[in-house]
mmCIF file of all heavy atoms in Angstrom:
data_model
loop_
_atom_site.group_PDB
_atom_site.id
_atom_site.type_symbol
_atom_site.label_atom_id
_atom_site.label_comp_id
_atom_site.label_asym_id
_atom_site.label_seq_id
_atom_site.Cartn_x
_atom_site.Cartn_y
_atom_site.Cartn_z
ATOM 1 N N MET L 323 82.103 -48.299 62.444
ATOM 2 C CA MET L 323 81.358 -47.412 61.558
ATOM 3 C C MET L 323 81.959 -46.009 61.620
ATOM 4 O O MET L 323 82.446 -45.601 62.668
ATOM 5 C CB MET L 323 79.903 -47.321 62.009
ATOM 6 C CG MET L 323 79.195 -48.651 62.134
ATOM 7 S SD MET L 323 78.748 -49.354 60.568
ATOM 8 C CE MET L 323 77.369 -48.336 60.148
ATOM 9 N N ALA L 324 81.868 -45.299 60.515
ATOM 10 C CA ALA L 324 82.253 -43.891 60.470
ATOM 11 C C ALA L 324 81.201 -43.154 59.657
ATOM 12 O O ALA L 324 80.672 -43.694 58.681
ATOM 13 C CB ALA L 324 83.633 -43.716 59.839
ATOM 14 N N ILE L 325 80.895 -41.947 60.072
ATOM 15 C CA ILE L 325 79.932 -41.120 59.339
ATOM 16 C C ILE L 325 80.681 -39.926 58.771
ATOM 17 O O ILE L 325 81.424 -39.246 59.483
ATOM 18 C CB ILE L 325 78.787 -40.657 60.256
ATOM 19 C CG1 ILE L 325 77.999 -41.880 60.741
ATOM 20 C CG2 ILE L 325 77.881 -39.666 59.530
ATOM 21 C CD1 ILE L 325 76.890 -41.564 61.716
ATOM 22 N N THR L 326 80.500 -39.722 57.480
ATOM 23 C CA THR L 326 81.114 -38.591 56.808
ATOM 24 C C THR L 326 80.023 -37.696 56.243
ATOM 25 O O THR L 326 78.893 -38.133 56.035
ATOM 26 C CB THR L 326 82.040 -39.047 55.660
ATOM 27 O OG1 THR L 326 81.258 -39.724 54.678
ATOM 28 C CG2 THR L 326 83.137 -39.957 56.167
ATOM 29 N N GLY L 327 80.379 -36.465 55.989
ATOM 30 C CA GLY L 327 79.439 -35.531 55.387
ATOM 31 C C GLY L 327 79.777 -35.318 53.931
ATOM 32 O O GLY L 327 80.712 -35.884 53.386
ATOM 33 N N GLY L 328 79.002 -34.502 53.314
ATOM 34 C CA GLY L 328 79.213 -34.159 51.910
ATOM 35 C C GLY L 328 78.025 -33.365 51.441
ATOM 36 O O GLY L 328 77.122 -33.051 52.214
ATOM 37 N N ALA L 329 78.020 -33.054 50.174
ATOM 38 C CA ALA L 329 76.862 -32.368 49.613
ATOM 39 C C ALA L 329 75.675 -33.324 49.674
ATOM 40 O O ALA L 329 75.834 -34.532 49.786
ATOM 41 C CB ALA L 329 77.156 -31.954 48.177
ATOM 42 N N SER L 330 74.488 -32.800 49.616
ATOM 43 C CA SER L 330 73.321 -33.662 49.691
ATOM 44 C C SER L 330 73.130 -34.416 48.384
ATOM 45 O O SER L 330 73.641 -34.036 47.346
ATOM 46 C CB SER L 330 72.073 -32.844 50.025
ATOM 47 O OG SER L 330 71.829 -31.916 49.003
ATOM 48 N N GLY L 331 72.379 -35.485 48.455
ATOM 49 C CA GLY L 331 72.106 -36.290 47.276
ATOM 50 C C GLY L 331 72.996 -37.505 47.203
ATOM 51 O O GLY L 331 73.762 -37.809 48.116
ATOM 52 N N ASP L 332 72.879 -38.214 46.125
ATOM 53 C CA ASP L 332 73.626 -39.439 45.909
ATOM 54 C C ASP L 332 75.127 -39.148 45.884
ATOM 55 O O ASP L 332 75.568 -38.199 45.229
ATOM 56 C CB ASP L 332 73.194 -40.062 44.583
ATOM 57 C CG ASP L 332 73.706 -41.478 44.417
ATOM 58 O OD1 ASP L 332 74.938 -41.684 44.532
ATOM 59 O OD2 ASP L 332 72.894 -42.374 44.180
ATOM 60 N N ILE L 333 75.916 -39.963 46.586
ATOM 61 C CA ILE L 333 77.358 -39.709 46.646
ATOM 62 C C ILE L 333 78.017 -39.756 45.273
ATOM 63 O O ILE L 333 79.028 -39.104 45.055
ATOM 64 C CB ILE L 333 78.084 -40.675 47.618
ATOM 65 C CG1 ILE L 333 77.930 -42.127 47.178
ATOM 66 C CG2 ILE L 333 77.607 -40.478 49.033
ATOM 67 C CD1 ILE L 333 78.757 -43.113 47.988
ATOM 68 N N PHE L 334 77.423 -40.487 44.352
ATOM 69 C CA PHE L 334 78.040 -40.604 43.039
ATOM 70 C C PHE L 334 77.750 -39.393 42.146
ATOM 71 O O PHE L 334 78.325 -39.249 41.086
ATOM 72 C CB PHE L 334 77.606 -41.905 42.367
ATOM 73 C CG PHE L 334 78.036 -43.104 43.169
ATOM 74 C CD1 PHE L 334 77.111 -43.871 43.851
ATOM 75 C CD2 PHE L 334 79.377 -43.431 43.291
ATOM 76 C CE1 PHE L 334 77.512 -44.952 44.615
ATOM 77 C CE2 PHE L 334 79.792 -44.507 44.056
ATOM 78 C CZ PHE L 334 78.855 -45.270 44.721
ATOM 79 N N ALA L 335 76.852 -38.535 42.600
ATOM 80 C CA ALA L 335 76.547 -37.321 41.850
ATOM 81 C C ALA L 335 77.320 -36.119 42.410
ATOM 82 O O ALA L 335 77.170 -35.011 41.916
ATOM 83 C CB ALA L 335 75.041 -37.044 41.887
ATOM 84 N N GLN L 336 78.142 -36.338 43.417
ATOM 85 C CA GLN L 336 78.883 -35.252 44.047
ATOM 86 C C GLN L 336 80.296 -35.169 43.483
ATOM 87 O O GLN L 336 80.874 -36.184 43.082
ATOM 88 C CB GLN L 336 78.965 -35.472 45.556
ATOM 89 C CG GLN L 336 77.617 -35.471 46.228
ATOM 90 C CD GLN L 336 77.729 -35.844 47.693
ATOM 91 O OE1 GLN L 336 78.761 -35.662 48.312
ATOM 92 N NE2 GLN L 336 76.653 -36.368 48.246
ATOM 93 N N ARG L 337 80.828 -33.971 43.496
ATOM 94 C CA ARG L 337 82.223 -33.795 43.096
ATOM 95 C C ARG L 337 83.121 -34.349 44.196
ATOM 96 O O ARG L 337 82.770 -34.341 45.374
ATOM 97 C CB ARG L 337 82.525 -32.322 42.867
ATOM 98 C CG ARG L 337 81.740 -31.752 41.677
ATOM 99 C CD ARG L 337 82.010 -30.299 41.504
ATOM 100 N NE ARG L 337 81.497 -29.611 42.682
ATOM 101 C CZ ARG L 337 81.603 -28.316 42.893
ATOM 102 N NH1 ARG L 337 82.222 -27.562 42.021
ATOM 103 N NH2 ARG L 337 81.115 -27.762 43.970
ATOM 104 N N THR L 338 84.289 -34.809 43.821
ATOM 105 C CA THR L 338 85.226 -35.410 44.772
ATOM 106 C C THR L 338 85.542 -34.472 45.920
ATOM 107 O O THR L 338 85.611 -34.890 47.067
ATOM 108 C CB THR L 338 86.527 -35.814 44.044
ATOM 109 O OG1 THR L 338 86.191 -36.706 42.986
ATOM 110 C CG2 THR L 338 87.490 -36.497 44.985
ATOM 111 N N LYS L 339 85.705 -33.185 45.652
ATOM 112 C CA LYS L 339 86.056 -32.252 46.720
ATOM 113 C C LYS L 339 84.916 -32.023 47.699
ATOM 114 O O LYS L 339 85.114 -31.466 48.769
ATOM 115 C CB LYS L 339 86.555 -30.930 46.143
ATOM 116 C CG LYS L 339 85.513 -30.105 45.434
ATOM 117 C CD LYS L 339 86.143 -28.832 44.911
ATOM 118 C CE LYS L 339 85.105 -27.955 44.232
ATOM 119 N NZ LYS L 339 85.700 -26.720 43.767
ATOM 120 N N GLU L 340 83.703 -32.468 47.362
ATOM 121 C CA GLU L 340 82.559 -32.347 48.260
ATOM 122 C C GLU L 340 82.446 -33.538 49.209
ATOM 123 O O GLU L 340 81.603 -33.547 50.082
ATOM 124 C CB GLU L 340 81.256 -32.244 47.463
ATOM 125 C CG GLU L 340 81.159 -31.012 46.610
ATOM 126 C CD GLU L 340 79.935 -31.023 45.728
ATOM 127 O OE1 GLU L 340 79.583 -32.074 45.163
ATOM 128 O OE2 GLU L 340 79.321 -29.957 45.600
ATOM 129 N N ARG L 341 83.284 -34.521 49.002
ATOM 130 C CA ARG L 341 83.165 -35.774 49.752
ATOM 131 C C ARG L 341 84.445 -36.074 50.520
ATOM 132 O O ARG L 341 85.529 -35.718 50.102
ATOM 133 C CB ARG L 341 82.914 -36.924 48.779
ATOM 134 C CG ARG L 341 81.644 -36.772 47.991
ATOM 135 C CD ARG L 341 81.498 -37.770 46.875
ATOM 136 N NE ARG L 341 81.886 -39.101 47.258
ATOM 137 C CZ ARG L 341 82.227 -40.028 46.372
ATOM 138 N NH1 ARG L 341 82.222 -39.778 45.093
ATOM 139 N NH2 ARG L 341 82.570 -41.224 46.786
ATOM 140 N N SER L 342 84.288 -36.773 51.648
ATOM 141 C CA SER L 342 85.460 -37.196 52.423
ATOM 142 C C SER L 342 85.492 -38.710 52.613
ATOM 143 O O SER L 342 86.389 -39.236 53.252
ATOM 144 C CB SER L 342 85.469 -36.507 53.792
ATOM 145 O OG SER L 342 84.296 -36.819 54.511
ATOM 146 N N ASP L 343 84.527 -39.411 52.029
ATOM 147 C CA ASP L 343 84.407 -40.850 52.292
ATOM 148 C C ASP L 343 85.630 -41.649 51.860
ATOM 149 O O ASP L 343 86.062 -42.548 52.588
ATOM 150 C CB ASP L 343 83.139 -41.413 51.635
ATOM 151 C CG ASP L 343 83.039 -41.098 50.159
ATOM 152 O OD1 ASP L 343 82.702 -39.954 49.827
ATOM 153 O OD2 ASP L 343 83.279 -41.997 49.337
ATOM 154 N N LEU L 344 86.217 -41.332 50.734
ATOM 155 C CA LEU L 344 87.365 -42.106 50.257
ATOM 156 C C LEU L 344 88.582 -41.895 51.150
ATOM 157 O O LEU L 344 89.279 -42.859 51.497
ATOM 158 C CB LEU L 344 87.691 -41.744 48.807
ATOM 159 C CG LEU L 344 88.804 -42.561 48.162
ATOM 160 C CD1 LEU L 344 88.465 -44.045 48.171
ATOM 161 C CD2 LEU L 344 89.052 -42.079 46.744
ATOM 162 N N VAL L 345 88.828 -40.664 51.563
ATOM 163 C CA VAL L 345 89.964 -40.368 52.439
ATOM 164 C C VAL L 345 89.778 -41.072 53.786
ATOM 165 O O VAL L 345 90.713 -41.666 54.327
ATOM 166 C CB VAL L 345 90.119 -38.842 52.637
ATOM 167 C CG1 VAL L 345 91.213 -38.512 53.624
ATOM 168 C CG2 VAL L 345 90.374 -38.162 51.301
ATOM 169 N N VAL L 346 88.569 -41.025 54.311
ATOM 170 C CA VAL L 346 88.266 -41.686 55.585
ATOM 171 C C VAL L 346 88.415 -43.200 55.436
ATOM 172 O O VAL L 346 89.004 -43.866 56.294
ATOM 173 C CB VAL L 346 86.856 -41.302 56.088
ATOM 174 C CG1 VAL L 346 86.441 -42.154 57.269
ATOM 175 C CG2 VAL L 346 86.814 -39.823 56.447
ATOM 176 N N ALA L 347 87.900 -43.760 54.356
ATOM 177 C CA ALA L 347 87.997 -45.203 54.124
ATOM 178 C C ALA L 347 89.454 -45.664 54.084
ATOM 179 O O ALA L 347 89.826 -46.659 54.714
ATOM 180 C CB ALA L 347 87.290 -45.576 52.823
ATOM 181 N N LYS L 348 90.282 -44.920 53.374
ATOM 182 C CA LYS L 348 91.702 -45.281 53.282
ATOM 183 C C LYS L 348 92.387 -45.172 54.643
ATOM 184 O O LYS L 348 93.218 -46.018 54.996
ATOM 185 C CB LYS L 348 92.411 -44.415 52.246
ATOM 186 C CG LYS L 348 92.015 -44.768 50.821
ATOM 187 C CD LYS L 348 92.720 -43.884 49.808
ATOM 188 C CE LYS L 348 92.351 -44.281 48.396
ATOM 189 N NZ LYS L 348 93.031 -43.441 47.399
ATOM 190 N N ALA L 349 92.034 -44.157 55.420
ATOM 191 C CA ALA L 349 92.627 -44.001 56.755
ATOM 192 C C ALA L 349 92.228 -45.166 57.659
ATOM 193 O O ALA L 349 93.050 -45.685 58.419
ATOM 194 C CB ALA L 349 92.190 -42.678 57.370
ATOM 195 N N MET L 350 90.984 -45.593 57.577
ATOM 196 C CA MET L 350 90.526 -46.724 58.385
ATOM 197 C C MET L 350 91.231 -48.016 57.964
ATOM 198 O O MET L 350 91.626 -48.822 58.816
ATOM 199 C CB MET L 350 89.007 -46.871 58.277
ATOM 200 C CG MET L 350 88.248 -45.725 58.939
ATOM 201 S SD MET L 350 86.459 -45.785 58.673
ATOM 202 C CE MET L 350 85.996 -47.111 59.814
ATOM 203 N N MET L 351 91.421 -48.203 56.686
ATOM 204 C CA MET L 351 92.118 -49.400 56.193
ATOM 205 C C MET L 351 93.578 -49.404 56.655
ATOM 206 O O MET L 351 94.102 -50.453 57.038
ATOM 207 C CB MET L 351 92.040 -49.477 54.660
ATOM 208 C CG MET L 351 90.645 -49.780 54.139
ATOM 209 S SD MET L 351 89.964 -51.363 54.687
ATOM 210 C CE MET L 351 90.945 -52.510 53.744
ATOM 211 N N ARG L 352 94.219 -48.239 56.632
ATOM 212 C CA ARG L 352 95.615 -48.158 57.116
ATOM 213 C C ARG L 352 95.686 -48.519 58.599
ATOM 214 O O ARG L 352 96.585 -49.245 59.027
ATOM 215 C CB ARG L 352 96.192 -46.769 56.880
ATOM 216 C CG ARG L 352 96.704 -46.533 55.480
ATOM 217 C CD ARG L 352 97.527 -45.262 55.358
ATOM 218 N NE ARG L 352 96.810 -44.066 55.767
ATOM 219 C CZ ARG L 352 96.006 -43.358 54.992
ATOM 220 N NH1 ARG L 352 95.816 -43.711 53.742
ATOM 221 N NH2 ARG L 352 95.399 -42.282 55.460
ATOM 222 N N ALA L 353 94.738 -48.026 59.384
ATOM 223 C CA ALA L 353 94.720 -48.349 60.815
ATOM 224 C C ALA L 353 94.534 -49.843 61.020
ATOM 225 O O ALA L 353 95.197 -50.449 61.872
ATOM 226 C CB ALA L 353 93.611 -47.567 61.525
ATOM 227 N N ALA L 354 93.676 -50.444 60.235
ATOM 228 C CA ALA L 354 93.460 -51.895 60.341
ATOM 229 C C ALA L 354 94.748 -52.650 60.001
ATOM 230 O O ALA L 354 95.135 -53.584 60.711
ATOM 231 C CB ALA L 354 92.332 -52.332 59.411
ATOM 232 N N GLU L 355 95.411 -52.230 58.944
ATOM 233 C CA GLU L 355 96.658 -52.878 58.531
ATOM 234 C C GLU L 355 97.722 -52.781 59.612
ATOM 235 O O GLU L 355 98.466 -53.732 59.845
ATOM 236 C CB GLU L 355 97.170 -52.260 57.224
ATOM 237 C CG GLU L 355 96.344 -52.632 56.020
ATOM 238 C CD GLU L 355 96.720 -51.829 54.779
ATOM 239 O OE1 GLU L 355 97.746 -51.104 54.791
ATOM 240 O OE2 GLU L 355 95.963 -51.919 53.790
ATOM 241 N N GLU L 356 97.800 -51.622 60.286
ATOM 242 C CA GLU L 356 98.786 -51.442 61.355
ATOM 243 C C GLU L 356 98.563 -52.424 62.499
ATOM 244 O O GLU L 356 99.500 -52.765 63.213
ATOM 245 C CB GLU L 356 98.744 -50.006 61.876
ATOM 246 C CG GLU L 356 99.325 -49.002 60.903
ATOM 247 C CD GLU L 356 99.152 -47.555 61.367
ATOM 248 O OE1 GLU L 356 98.815 -47.325 62.552
ATOM 249 O OE2 GLU L 356 99.350 -46.656 60.525
ATOM 250 N N TYR L 357 97.329 -52.883 62.663
ATOM 251 C CA TYR L 357 97.012 -53.839 63.719
ATOM 252 C C TYR L 357 96.869 -55.260 63.186
ATOM 253 O O TYR L 357 96.452 -56.161 63.903
ATOM 254 C CB TYR L 357 95.746 -53.402 64.472
ATOM 255 C CG TYR L 357 96.074 -52.337 65.486
ATOM 256 C CD1 TYR L 357 96.264 -51.021 65.092
ATOM 257 C CD2 TYR L 357 96.269 -52.662 66.816
ATOM 258 C CE1 TYR L 357 96.617 -50.046 66.004
ATOM 259 C CE2 TYR L 357 96.617 -51.689 67.734
ATOM 260 C CZ TYR L 357 96.788 -50.388 67.318
ATOM 261 O OH TYR L 357 97.146 -49.426 68.231
ATOM 262 N N GLY L 358 97.221 -55.449 61.916
ATOM 263 C CA GLY L 358 97.172 -56.783 61.322
ATOM 264 C C GLY L 358 95.759 -57.309 61.142
ATOM 265 O O GLY L 358 95.549 -58.526 61.100
#
Side-chain angles (χ1 to χ4, degrees):
M323 305 284 285
I325 296 177
T326 63
S330 62
D332 192 305
I333 61 173
F334 299 109
Q336 297 174 25
R337 294 178 295 178
T338 303
K339 68 180 182 178
E340 296 174 319
R341 299 170 43 201
S342 59
D343 53 283
L344 184 59
V345 175
V346 170
K348 288 179 178 180
M350 292 174 76
M351 290 299 288
R352 278 192 303 275
E355 288 170 10
E356 288 174 14
Y357 280 78

